[in-house]
Every structure is written in structure tokens, then in C-alpha cells.
Amino acid sequence: MGDKMLEKTEIYPYQRVAEKAGNRSRGKKHEREREWRQTFKESTARGKTWLRAFLKKEGSSFFHSLLSLENLVLAVGALILSRAFVLGDLLPFVYAYLAVFAGKEKGRAILLLAFATLGLSSVLHGFDLGSSIVSLLVLIAVLKRLRILPEKAWWMLPLVSISVLFTSKSLFLLGGEFSLYAEMVVVFEAVIAGVLCFVFTVAHEAIAQRKPLASLNFEEFASFLVLGIGLVMGLNNVHLAGLSVSSIICRLGIMLAALLWGSGGGTIVGVMTGIIPSISSSIFAQSLGMYAVSGLLAGLFRNLGRLGIVLGFMLGTMALSMFIPETSATILGIWETAIASLLFFLLPESLQDKMPLQALGPLNGRFREQDETIDSRLEESARKRIENLAAVFEELSSSFSGEMEVKRKNHQAAYLNYLYEQVSQNFCEKCSRYDNCWGRDSYHSSQQILELFSIVEKAELSYEKAPRDFKRRCLYAREMISTINYLFDRLLLNEYWSDKLCESRELVATQLKGVSQVIKGLAQEIDVKTEFDLEIREKLLRESKQQGLKIKEMTPLRSSSGQLLLNVVADPCREGEFCKTNIAPSFSNILGERMEVCEKTCPRFRAWGQCKFTMSRACSYKVSSGVVQVGKEAVCGDSFTIASLKEGKELIALSDGMGVGEKACCESQATVRLLENLLESGFQREVALNTINTVLLLRSAQESFATLDMLMVDLYNGDVDFIKVGSAPSYIKRDKKVGMISSHSLPIGILENVDVVSERHSLCPRDILVMVSDGVLEVSRQFNETWIMDFLSQVDESDPQLLAEMIMNKALGMCKGKPADDMTVICLRVELQ
């Protein structure tokens, strides 16, 4: 047993040695495997660590950029537009939208494609859904492969979209059920998508440039409008609690358009939104008329604010709801209008300032050159029309003159023919010797009758003064002489009235020619150049918003002379003075020059509606006046006017008609009124004076003239222009110093042309101007002619009315209360504002 144990002991070590050799080779293998596993684990760990770091670093930014607000908004747009049907079968909006807005960003393209697929799956099924999704994929893939330059995108994107859609959908039709109608649907869908690509390209460029709404031009505004219509069409079958989302948006859009652009804009948007159901399907919608009328009434009630717009819209909606047979549809429409009205009230006040009002007309800088061209054409057209009118009057004058020249030439022949006819046919026709006298011996008889006519022209014809041969030959010589006297007296009477008629015709011809010359002169003075200053508008709206001023609309207009006028529409106030006390000072600070309200129109109900007012540059000076008149008769023949002109000028005019009393008053009043109207219309003073001169010349054949003393004070710089046409001197009083301005020109209405002489002086605050008529100076013939200058240098009175009364009392005292002519005194005091 012990031996056996020894053998085992010997065998086991041998066996262990053999096992160690095999295990050594296997151990190396396992060791290598362990090394590989360790290496793999380490590399895997490193890979996981790198992947975690990559995802942490790059993936978050990738998903963050993919799910940015801009991409999400675009994705929602793709989802909605993929549901926008045209005529019930076409879906062109989604293809154009993805072609333009997917861009070169792969992540955005995938996101928009996913949302578009989701939208398509909600309205399409089966074959149509598959063909549309594949067409979208092909379109995106082709656009990714092509390199389209930005300057060529406006025509390449539409062309590529049309080609891809037509090819892909036509291949699908060839693989399925092909029909001519289905192929025509494909063609129309591809063409409309291409057109929409061009439209959406304009909108995409505006979005890429981050242009604010207020600076959009007409093309950009129209492209966003088409995009909005597509979005509304995509929401056409979306309902919340039984209410149509698209209907609520349409009603809100109509109210907003009425707020921004009035009845015209509300009606246009109403018509456009009313036809959306008809575009989406092939059924005519009843909403067209209802939306159009509601938009019109909403715009008409715009002056009452947002509440007025809502009331006008509801009035139009309820007025046409009676034609809708379904009561449930009417009730749902009322709820939709109520929700849209609530949203309308919640819109911010600043929305009106941000909307592209200038997109509705050529108001921005890009169209200023076009505006100038239009102004010049309008001015030229108006001038030609007025010149044509002047040519008509001149032609009428020529026709009267030509007719009178012909009558003068034929007057002598007609005179003799009349007398011969009356004698030979009416008197001698029944005489027994008629054939002998007016037949065989007609020449001798006509010579005798002519001799009698020459006698009666000098004095009355009698039987004794008649030629002896005539008395011997004529059997009824005494009766013939009586007849010739009667005919000649009648002829003289006819000739008198004929001359009067010719004089009247000459006067009419002269007047027509004068009117023609007046119209021609006025045509040369036409100036319609008015510039819309968009920069000032934007600046004032922006600054007034920051200051809390509720300005609804503003139209800054700059005339050709540089005068700035601001037509402003603002919320009303209860006191009616908010525009003067708050808005005018704020605008003055913004513009750097003092502005004032020159015209205003407050609403009838102060708390409702709109306040409209006009602001202009405030004048630095003001003029206070005093006037005293005394007539020789019951009616004073002097007339005057004191008026403020548009360009910051103060007009003071005094006219003295010929003579005294009512006739002189008519002459002077016509002069003053016509002068004020012409200057207020913007005509130059030379043109105005020549026009008045022509009118006085044409009033009658009698002598008619009037003096004119005119002052024009510039209220901005204090300069005064003295224009005197046959008038008395004027005076400037500065403290104790007095200056005299006189002229020696003839009154207007005497010569065809007026020699206008102007004298300019610079005034200082507290200066006093004195104007008098000829009647005031008439009293100085008995005294010193410079008594007015002496009186003004001695008196110390600053009130213009009291000073005028003092001068008049002095003049009346000098003539003992019996004026020889009509007397007028006008005193003016110039002061700082």
C-alpha cells in the first residue's frame, strides 16, 4: 500500500509537469485575450467618453439650433400650409414653402419636411399621400444638390420646383391610374407652386434681412399677405369648441385693416378673406358679401376708435346674417365675432406704428423721384389746361373783334342800300313815272337822290333847299323830301344804337382778352410741388410713442418754399387743448424748432372719435392792430384787410377807391378782396397786382382806378415789405424816431402794366407802423404836410388802437370835423411771441 502511494506520488508530478506545459500555452492565449479585452474595454470606454463629450458639446448645440424659435415657427408654418387646399384638389403652398424656406441647412430641411409630412397625413391618404411625400423628398434633394446663386434664385427656384413636381407626380401617375384630369391637376399644382415660389422668395428675403414691418415696400407687403392667406386656408377646417379658427383670424384681420387704412382697406381685406373659402373649395362662399360690407362699415366707424370699428363690423355681420338660413351658423358667427373683437381690443397700441402704411402708396424714399416726376407732370398738365382755357377766351375776343371789323367795312354800303331801297321800292313804286325814273333814267335819278342824302346829312332837308331839277322832274317832290327826312332820322337812331352795340362788343372783346391774359399769368405761377417727409414722420411717431403721446396718424408735408405742415390725427381729450399744451411742445423739442397748432377739428363728443389738427412752425413775431375809419358820406370809400397768409406772412392792405361813398367802396373792396384771395392761394404779389389792374381796366368803359397800400410782414424774421401803388405815405415809429416811406406811382386801373416797387425794412420789437389814406393827408394842405411825423414823434402811446384814434382825432380837429375825403388810419405794433 505504501508502494502504491509512492507510485502515485511519482506519477502525479509527472502528470503535473505535462499539464503545466499545456497550461502555459493556453495561458499565453488567455493572457492575450485578456489584453485584447482590456484594450477593447479601454477603447470602448474612451469611445463612450468621447461620444458623451461630443453629444454634450456638439449635440446640444445641434438640437438647440434645430429646435430654435425661428425653426419652430417655420415648422408650424409648414404644418399649416401642407393643409392649404386650392380648389379642393391642389396643395401648392407646401411645395413652394419648403423650396424657399428649407434652405441649405440640413437640420431645418428635415424638421420642415417632418412637419409637412405630418400635415399632409392629416388631409391625404394612400396613393396621394405617398406621391406628395416622395415629391417633397425629391424636391428637397434636388435643391440640396443644385447650387443656386442668390441673384438667380428668383427664377431658378420656381423653374426647378415646377420641373420636379411635374416629373415626379407624372411618374407616379404613369405607375398607377393615369387620367387626363389627374395630369391636368398635376400641371396646375406645379405651375401654382412655381408662382408661389417667386412670391415666397420676396418674403424670405425680408425675413432674412430682419426688416421691420414699417419699412416693408409694396412687393414685400403683398408677399406676406399671400403667405397669410395660405395660412388661413390651412386652418380652414380647424375648429375649437365648434368655432372656426380661420373665421376668427379673418374677422380679426378685417378689423385691423379698418383700423389702419379706413373703409377702403377694410373693404379690400374683407373681399380677400371672403373669397378664401371659395379658393379652398370649388363652392361659392356666402361670407364674401358679409365680410366686404362688414369691413366697409368698420372703416366708416373708424373715427370712434376701436369700439366704433367693432360696432361697425358687428352691424355689417348681423345685417347680412339674416340671409343665412342656418341658425346655428349665425350663432357660431356671433361667437367668432366676439372672440375676434376681444383679440382686437388686446392688440397693442404700438401695432399701428409698426404696420407698413407706406406700402400702400409711394411714400418712402425709393419713390421720391417718381413723386417728383408725377408732380412735374401734374403741374404741366394743369398749366396746359389753364392755358387752353385762356386760348378759348382769346379766341372769343378775336371773334368779337373780327365781327366788328367786318361790320365797319360794310356799314357805308349797307347805309346807302337801305336808303335807295326804301325810296325806290316803297315810295316810288306806285308812281306813274316809276318806269321812266328808275328804268330808262335810273342813273340820273340815283344821282339826284344821293345829292338829297348829302344835303340831309348836314341839316334838315326842306323843299326850298332841294335842287331845281329834282323839283321839276319829281311829281311828289314834297312827299319825297318828307320821306327822306323821316328815313334819315330813323337811320340816325339805328346808327346810334348800333354804335352802342359795337362799343359793348368792343368792351366784351377787351374784357375777354384781359381775362385770357389774367389766366395765362396765373398759369405760369402754378406750383404743386409738395413733398411727403417720411423721415420726420418716423422720427415723430417713434419719439411721441416713447413720451406716451397717442398719435394715430401723421402726414408731414413740406412745400416748395420749405414750409413744414404736420397733419396729425390723435386721440381726443376732454378739454380740447391737449394738442396745444402737450403735443405742440413735445414736437417742438423733437424737431428743434417751435411748432404751434394753426388749425384743429375736435370731435362732437370730446371723449369719442378722433382729434385732427394741423401744426406749423411757430412765428417769432406777432402783429397787433388798430383801425379807425371816418367817411365823408354815410359809406366810407376806403377798404382794408388784415390777414395771416400760409407762409408765415401778415398781410395789411389799404385801398382808396376813386371818389367817395358807395361807388368808391365797391372799387376798393374789389381790390382788397381779390388781393387777399390771390395771395392766400400762393400767387406772387406782382401777379396779384397785375391781375387786379387788369380787372379794374375791364370793369367798365368808364374810368375806374384805386390806390393800394400794402404791407407784408415776415413773422419769422421781422422783415416788412412796403408796396405802394398810388397811395399815401406810411410811417415807422421806433421810440421817438419816425421814418416815412412814400412812392410816386400811379394808381392801379389806369395803365395796362403796373410798375411794382417794393421797399424792405427790418423791424424791431415794439416798432409801430402807421398807414393812412389820402383823406387824412388832405387836411395837411392847410397846415404842415409833415404833421403826422411830428405828431408821432411827440406822442408816447404803444396801444395801436388808441394811437389810431389819436391820429384820427387830430386830423378831424384840423379839418373842423368836415373831412374832404374818406379817412382811414391803421396802426400796427410788432412784438415778440
Side-chain angles (χ1 to χ4, degrees):
M1 187 174 193
D3 295 336
K4 288 181 180 179
M5 290 180 65
L6 291 172
E7 291 176 0
K8 286 182 180 179
T9 303
E10 292 175 358
I11 292 172
Y12 285 139
Y14 174 78
Q15 290 178 348
R16 290 192 186 100
V17 171
E19 287 176 0
K20 284 181 180 179
N23 289 334
R24 190 179 293 114
S25 62
R26 286 195 298 269
K28 293 181 179 179
K29 183 178 180 180
H30 289 313
E31 186 178 355
R32 286 194 298 268
E33 289 177 357
R34 283 194 301 270
E35 292 177 355
W36 292 343
R37 290 191 188 99
Q38 186 67 25
T39 304
F40 178 74
K41 288 180 180 179
E42 292 177 355
S43 61
T44 303
R46 285 194 299 268
K48 290 180 179 180
T49 303
W50 178 84
L51 182 60
R52 291 192 190 98
F54 174 79
L55 291 177
K56 185 176 181 181
K57 181 179 179 180
E58 301 293 337
S60 61
S61 61
F62 173 77
F63 285 107
H64 184 269
S65 61
L66 181 64
L67 300 179
S68 63
L69 180 60
E70 181 180 355
N71 287 343
L72 290 177
V73 172
L74 293 176
V76 173
L79 175 64
I80 298 174
L81 290 176
S82 61
R83 298 171 45 85
F85 278 99
V86 175
L87 301 178
D89 291 325
L90 310 180
L91 287 168
F93 282 92
V94 65
Y95 301 110
Y97 186 80
L98 262 68
V100 174
F101 287 92
K104 295 295 183 180
E105 298 181 14
K106 187 176 181 180
R108 176 183 290 184
I110 295 173
L111 183 64
L112 266 61
L113 184 61
F115 274 78
T117 303
L118 181 62
L120 290 173
S121 61
S122 65
V123 293
L124 297 177
H125 305 283
F127 179 80
D128 294 335
L129 176 60
S131 63
S132 298
I133 294 175
V134 172
S135 299
L136 277 176
L137 289 170
V138 174
L139 178 61
I140 296 298
V142 171
L143 291 176
K144 292 297 180 184
R145 297 288 297 175
L146 292 177
R147 293 184 178 179
I148 300 178
L149 297 177
E151 60 270 13
K152 297 181 179 180
W154 67 273
W155 65 269
M156 286 193 67
L157 276 179
L159 184 61
V160 171
S161 300
I162 292 173
S163 303
V164 170
L165 291 179
F166 175 75
T167 304
S168 61
K169 291 210 167 187
S170 297
L171 291 176
F172 266 94
L173 287 179
L174 291 175
E177 297 180 0
F178 180 82
S179 66
L180 184 60
Y181 173 77
E183 184 64 24
M184 290 301 298
V185 169
V186 170
V187 171
F188 278 109
E189 189 176 47
V191 172
I192 296 175
V195 174
L196 291 175
C197 277
F198 173 75
V199 176
F200 289 167
T201 301
V202 179
H204 180 260
E205 291 178 356
I207 294 174
Q209 297 174 6
R210 298 291 192 273
K211 295 183 67 174
L213 286 176
S215 61
L216 295 181
N217 57 33
F218 181 79
E219 292 81 4
E220 294 166 345
F221 178 76
S223 64
F224 278 106
L225 188 61
V226 173
L227 182 59
I229 291 175
L231 293 173
V232 174
M233 293 169 63
L235 296 171
N236 198 22
N237 294 322
V238 178
H239 294 80
L240 294 176
L243 303 178
S244 175
V245 176
S246 63
S247 179
I248 295 174
I249 295 176
C250 289
R251 295 164 194 256
L252 177 61
I254 295 172
M255 295 181 194
L256 182 60
L259 174 65
L260 296 176
W261 304 302
S263 58
T267 306
I268 293 173
V269 176
V271 172
M272 294 178 63
T273 54
I275 64 176
I276 286 178
S278 302
I279 297 175
S280 300
S281 61
S282 57
I283 303 174
F284 180 76
Q286 298 176 346
S287 60
L288 175 60
M290 183 178 67
Y291 283 163
V293 175
S294 300
L296 174 63
L297 293 178
L300 291 177
F301 285 86
R302 178 192 182 193
N303 290 336
L304 298 178
R306 297 197 182 195
L307 181 60
I309 292 174
V310 171
L311 292 177
F313 186 87
M314 286 185 173
L315 182 63
T317 303
M318 297 182 68
L320 295 181
S321 295
M322 63 181 67
F323 298 103
I324 300 178
E326 298 86 359
T327 307
S328 59
T330 303
I331 296 175
L332 290 176
I334 295 175
W335 277 104
E336 291 167 355
T337 302
I339 295 175
S341 302
L342 179 60
L343 295 175
F344 179 66
F345 279 114
L346 294 177
L347 291 176
E349 293 287 342
S350 60
L351 181 63
Q352 189 172 359
D353 301 333
K354 298 178 181 178
M355 291 303 291
L357 299 180
Q358 68 271 23
L360 299 181
L363 302 181
N364 53 4
R366 197 175 110 186
F367 295 105
R368 283 180 181 171
E369 184 176 352
Q370 181 180 355
D371 283 348
E372 293 177 359
T373 304
I374 293 175
D375 286 342
S376 61
R377 291 179 180 177
L378 180 62
E379 181 179 340
E380 187 64 27
S381 176
R383 183 179 290 112
K384 285 184 178 180
R385 286 197 170 195
I386 296 178
E387 288 178 350
N388 291 337
L389 180 62
V392 171
F393 281 98
E394 190 169 1
E395 186 64 29
L396 289 173
S397 174
S398 301
S399 64
F400 277 99
S401 302
E403 184 179 353
M404 287 185 292
E405 289 295 330
V406 173
K407 285 189 175 183
R408 287 193 184 97
K409 292 179 180 179
N410 299 331
H411 179 71
Q412 190 68 24
Y415 161 71
L416 292 175
N417 290 334
Y418 169 76
L419 292 177
Y420 276 122
E421 181 181 357
Q422 293 294 325
V423 171
S424 62
Q425 295 184 7
N426 295 337
F427 183 81
C428 298
E429 187 175 8
K430 297 180 180 181
C431 180
S432 59
R433 301 188 63 182
Y434 176 80
D435 293 334
N436 184 38
C437 293
W438 296 101
R440 292 187 299 271
D441 202 11
S442 61
Y443 177 77
H444 186 66
S445 299
S446 61
Q447 290 296 320
Q448 287 183 342
I449 295 297
L450 183 60
E451 186 177 358
L452 293 176
F453 288 162
S454 60
I455 294 174
V456 78
E457 281 182 345
K458 300 176 182 178
E460 184 178 358
L461 180 64
S462 62
Y463 184 78
E464 290 76 13
K465 295 180 180 179
R468 183 178 301 177
D469 186 43
F470 167 74
K471 291 188 288 186
R472 183 181 57 82
R473 293 182 69 249
C474 183
L475 300 177
Y476 304 96
R478 295 183 181 275
E479 289 81 358
M480 172 73 77
I481 291 173
S482 300
T483 301
I484 290 177
N485 284 325
Y486 168 75
L487 290 175
F488 194 78
D489 291 340
R490 185 177 175 183
L491 184 65
L492 288 178
L493 183 62
N494 291 339
E495 188 175 4
Y496 171 80
W497 288 113
S498 178
D499 291 340
K500 286 294 183 182
L501 181 60
C502 287
E503 290 178 3
S504 300
R505 287 175 180 264
E506 287 180 357
L507 178 62
V508 171
T510 306
Q511 290 175 336
L512 289 174
K513 187 174 182 180
V515 170
S516 173
Q517 294 174 354
V518 169
I519 294 176
K520 283 183 179 179
L522 298 180
Q524 300 301 322
E525 294 296 320
I526 289 180
D527 187 6
V528 296
K529 294 180 180 178
T530 301
E531 180 184 355
F532 181 92
D533 201 326
L534 184 62
E535 296 179 359
I536 289 183
R537 178 181 183 275
E538 294 177 350
K539 180 179 179 181
L540 289 176
L541 287 177
R542 183 177 62 254
E543 296 291 338
S544 60
K545 177 186 174 183
Q546 294 177 357
Q547 297 180 14
L549 301 177
K550 295 182 179 180
I551 305 298
K552 292 185 175 181
E553 182 54 46
M554 180 186 304
T555 306
L557 300 176
R558 193 176 294 277
S559 64
S560 57
S561 61
Q563 180 73 5
L564 178 64
L565 293 177
L566 301 176
N567 298 322
V568 185
V569 179
D571 287 342
C573 61
R574 295 186 180 275
E575 297 80 11
E577 298 293 329
F578 187 79
C579 54
K580 295 182 178 180
T581 58
N582 294 76
I583 298 180
S586 299
F587 282 9
S588 300
N589 293 331
I590 296 172
L591 297 176
E593 56 183 2
R594 196 159 62 91
M595 305 294 291
E596 64 179 0
V597 177
C598 53
E599 295 179 7
K600 68 173 182 175
T601 303
C602 295
R604 179 175 299 177
F605 304 101
R606 290 292 176 89
W608 300 92
Q610 295 177 340
C611 179
K612 299 179 180 180
F613 56 91
T614 302
M615 301 180 66
S616 62
R617 179 186 169 193
C619 298
S620 302
Y621 295 84
K622 65 178 181 180
V623 176
S624 56
S625 60
V627 183
V628 179
Q629 283 188 309
V630 174
K632 181 180 180 181
E633 298 180 357
V635 178
C636 182
D638 300 339
S639 298
F640 70 93
T641 182
I642 300 174
S644 297
L645 305 180
K646 292 181 180 179
E647 302 296 333
K649 306 279 188 180
E650 188 80 8
L651 170 67
I652 304 96
L654 173 61
S655 178
D656 183 6
M658 184 183 67
V660 295
E662 189 172 355
K663 181 179 180 299
C665 180
C666 292
E667 301 289 348
S668 59
Q669 279 188 355
T671 302
V672 167
R673 285 198 301 264
L674 188 56
L675 175 67
E676 181 179 351
N677 291 333
L678 289 173
L679 293 179
E680 184 68 26
S681 301
F683 293 101
Q684 298 296 326
R685 57 195 180 204
E686 291 80 6
V687 177
L689 291 176
N690 283 316
T691 302
I692 295 170
N693 182 67
T694 305
V695 170
L696 291 179
L697 284 173
L698 300 177
R699 288 191 62 152
S700 65
Q702 299 177 355
E703 189 179 42
S704 175
F705 62 86
T707 66
L708 183 61
D709 194 358
M710 183 170 66
L711 300 183
M712 292 189 69
V713 182
D714 192 327
L715 300 179
Y716 293 130
N717 54 26
D719 291 343
V720 58
D721 291 327
F722 292 87
I723 300 98
K724 292 185 168 295
V725 186
S727 61
S730 298
Y731 305 92
I732 301 178
K733 173 179 170 58
R734 182 175 298 168
D735 296 331
K736 296 295 183 178
K737 298 180 181 179
V738 180
M740 185 176 68
I741 295 93
S742 60
S743 175
H744 302 286
S745 59
L746 293 175
I748 53 177
I750 296 179
L751 302 178
E752 291 188 2
N753 296 317
V754 179
D755 186 14
V756 181
V757 179
S758 175
E759 188 173 341
R760 174 168 294 188
H761 292 267
S762 296
L763 299 178
C764 295
R766 299 183 297 277
D767 282 356
I768 294 179
L769 306 175
V770 179
M771 303 170 65
V772 296
S773 61
D774 293 336
V776 179
L777 294 181
E778 289 290 332
V779 299
S780 65
R781 293 180 180 178
Q782 304 173 10
F783 302 92
N784 186 9
E785 293 186 356
T786 61
W787 71 270
I788 296 182
M789 293 183 63
D790 298 337
F791 180 79
L792 290 175
S793 62
Q794 296 172 5
V795 71
D796 188 13
E797 179 59 55
S798 59
D799 188 290
Q801 183 63 41
L802 293 178
L803 181 60
E805 293 176 0
M806 293 172 65
I807 296 174
M808 181 62 72
N809 292 332
K810 178 70 173 177
L812 289 175
M814 295 171 68
C815 66
K816 298 180 180 181
K818 297 181 179 179
D821 195 0
D822 299 317
M823 297 194 299
T824 301
V825 179
I826 300 177
C827 292
L828 309 166
R829 178 179 170 86
V830 180
E831 296 175 319
L832 289 173
Q833 287 273 37

